[in-house]
């Protein structure tokens, strides 16, 4: 289809397919036009697709500025779905948070080894008290072990713990503040140490509202301490998908990865997600703006 199919972002919520068709028809003959809607409510999702009969007409649209209703539209060449969809990764590692202090490494191992062979286990310890920090990481020999345990809830020391897949790359996370990294002999989890990933922060500390007034640990303090490629997106509406995040934030820069953790207790996600951009600095710019996804303000 060459460059005749375009994606239109930022469509006002009250504009339907016919409204978009009427506007885009000014630039040439259309073969197809659609504003995407939510399946459950029928509401607009704020973006759509138009396919022009002529490549030249499509190029004219790409080179022009567009204002529809009270919004400025962003128009780009549509990316094939198979390219936009993040590849399915076979995850063999989990992180566990909210671990009670009474839980020992032996107890930690005993609970999870019933799901399969464990090849590595690490519980970060506080350098001063030598007590563990309430989180731990386990690597299994098989990804099936992770899939099986993620379908269940888990208790350690009489308390419910939070379990999620550990998929971030080491170079996406940097140590924050004065918290030292463990020696290399401790399993190579330095990138996860001391709650440095936003995912671990969330799981260890609780509800998404903790991100409503983010401090330095969430990337809005000292610029030298920021992780400039990854953003945390909180208060996601239940109907939002990873494709919605990819579509929306794709207007700001090329996206390497989108991750929306699933809720093991019920169908759906946990109300937050992560977006990793390809270029440095994009995340910092994005974090300074307000954003709406599926008609809801997100954090």
């Amino acid at each position: 289809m060459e460059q005749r199919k375009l994606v239109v972002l930022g469509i006002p919520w009250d504009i339907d397919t016919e409204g978009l068709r009427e506007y885009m028809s000014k630039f040439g003959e259309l073969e197809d036009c659609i504003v995407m809607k939510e399946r459950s409510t029928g509401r607009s999702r704020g973006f759509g697709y138009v396919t022009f009969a002529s490549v030249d007409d499509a190029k004219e649209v790409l080179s022009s500025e567009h204002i529809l209703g009270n919004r400025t539209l962003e128009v780009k060449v549509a990316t094939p779905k198979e390219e936009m969809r993040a590849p399915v990764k076979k995850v063999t590692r989990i992180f566990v948070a909210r671990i009670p202090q009474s839980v020992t490494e032996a107890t930690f191992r005993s609970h999870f080894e019933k799901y399969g062979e464990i090849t590595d286990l690490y519980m970060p310890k506080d350098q001063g008290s030598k007590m563990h920090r309430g989180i731990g990481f386990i690597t299994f020999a098989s990804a099936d072990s992770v899939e099986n345990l993620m379908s269940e809830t888990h208790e350690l020391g009489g308390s419910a713990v939070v379990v999620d897949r550990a998929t971030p790359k080491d170079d996406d996370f940097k140590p924050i503040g004065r918290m030292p990294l463990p020696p290399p002999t401790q399993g190579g989890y330095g990138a996860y140490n001391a709650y440095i990933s936003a995912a671990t922060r969330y799981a260890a500390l609780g509800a998404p509202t903790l991100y409503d007034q983010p401090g330095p640990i969430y990337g809005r303090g000292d610029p030298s301490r920021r992780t400039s490629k990854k953003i945390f997106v909180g208060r996601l509406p239940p109907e939002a998908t990873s494709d919605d995040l990819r579509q929306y934030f794709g207007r700001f820069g090329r996206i390497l990865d989108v991750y929306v953790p699933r809720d093991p207790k019920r169908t759906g996600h946990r109300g937050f997600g992560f977006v990793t951009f390809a270029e440095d600095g994009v995340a910092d710019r994005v974090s300074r703006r307000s954003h709406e996804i599926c008609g809801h303000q997100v954090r």
Side-chain angles (χ1 to χ4, degrees):
M1 201 172 288
E2 300 176 337
Q3 294 187 344
R4 296 187 292 115
K5 184 172 183 179
L6 310 177
V7 58
V8 184
L9 307 172
I11 299 173
W13 305 117
D14 59 344
I15 298 296
D16 59 10
T17 294
E18 289 307 312
L20 181 63
R21 184 189 301 276
E22 180 180 354
Y23 176 81
M24 286 296 175
S25 294
K26 301 175 184 177
F27 298 91
E29 180 185 352
L30 299 181
E31 288 187 355
D32 191 30
C33 176
I34 186 171
V35 171
M36 304 304 292
K37 296 181 179 180
E38 299 172 6
R39 293 181 180 178
S40 57
T41 65
R43 293 182 303 174
S44 167
R45 296 171 68 183
F47 71 94
Y49 298 92
V50 292
T51 304
F52 285 88
S54 166
V55 173
D56 292 336
D57 290 341
K59 287 182 178 179
E60 180 183 352
V61 172
L62 288 170
S63 62
S64 305
E65 183 179 21
H66 304 279
I67 298 178
L68 183 58
N70 60 349
R71 289 195 178 187
T72 299
L73 304 179
E74 182 170 0
V75 184
K76 301 189 294 184
V77 175
T79 304
K81 289 184 178 180
E82 59 270 18
E83 294 180 14
M84 295 174 59
R85 189 178 296 118
V88 177
K89 298 178 180 179
K90 292 292 186 179
V91 178
T92 59
R93 180 181 297 166
I94 61 169
F95 76 81
V96 185
R98 298 184 188 170
I99 303 174
Q101 285 298 318
S102 60
V103 175
T104 64
E105 187 172 298
T107 304
F108 187 44
R109 177 182 293 275
S110 176
H111 176 82
F112 286 102
E113 65 183 359
K114 61 187 177 185
Y115 294 97
E117 179 187 355
I118 293 175
T119 60
D120 193 25
L121 181 148
Y122 172 49
M123 296 180 72
K125 291 183 171 57
D126 185 272
Q127 296 298 312
S129 66
K130 303 302 180 182
M131 303 287 286
H132 67 71
R133 290 178 172 153
I135 61 172
F137 303 90
I138 294 177
T139 302
F140 290 92
S142 170
D144 291 339
S145 299
V146 174
E147 296 305 312
N148 291 337
L149 70 87
M150 286 301 299
S151 65
E152 302 179 10
T153 57
H154 301 273
E155 285 191 4
L156 289 173
S159 300
V161 295
V162 175
V163 182
D164 207 347
R165 296 171 180 84
T167 58
K169 299 177 182 178
D170 286 359
D171 56 4
D172 282 340
F173 302 94
K174 306 297 179 185
I176 295 175
R178 300 179 180 178
M179 299 178 182
L181 295 177
T185 56
Q186 288 186 316
Y189 287 97
Y192 297 101
N193 191 46
Y195 304 97
I196 57 179
S197 78
T200 304
R201 285 278 180 185
Y202 175 88
L205 299 179
T209 53
L210 291 173
Y211 288 92
D212 290 350
Q213 294 85 31
I217 60 172
Y218 301 115
R220 293 192 182 179
D222 182 352
S224 66
R225 295 182 182 178
R226 289 178 181 171
T227 301
S228 59
K229 292 185 179 180
K230 178 166 288 189
I231 59 170
F232 166 88
V233 185
R235 291 186 177 176
L236 280 181
E239 64 270 22
T241 67
S242 58
D243 280 345
D244 290 326
L245 267 68
R246 188 179 295 274
Q247 284 280 1
Y248 178 81
F249 288 106
R251 71 181 71 181
F252 300 104
R254 187 164 64 90
I255 291 176
L256 292 180
D257 186 56
V258 175
Y259 175 47
V260 179
R262 309 300 297 175
D263 190 328
K265 296 182 179 179
R266 60 181 184 271
T267 58
H269 57 69
R270 293 182 172 179
F272 66 98
F274 304 91
V275 178
T276 304
F277 294 97
E279 290 80 25
D280 289 327
V282 177
D284 293 335
R285 294 195 299 271
V286 169
S287 67
R288 300 188 190 107
R289 301 180 50 169
S290 61
H291 303 279
E292 280 188 7
I293 294 179
C294 297
H296 297 266
Q297 192 85 16
V298 296
R299 300 290 303 198

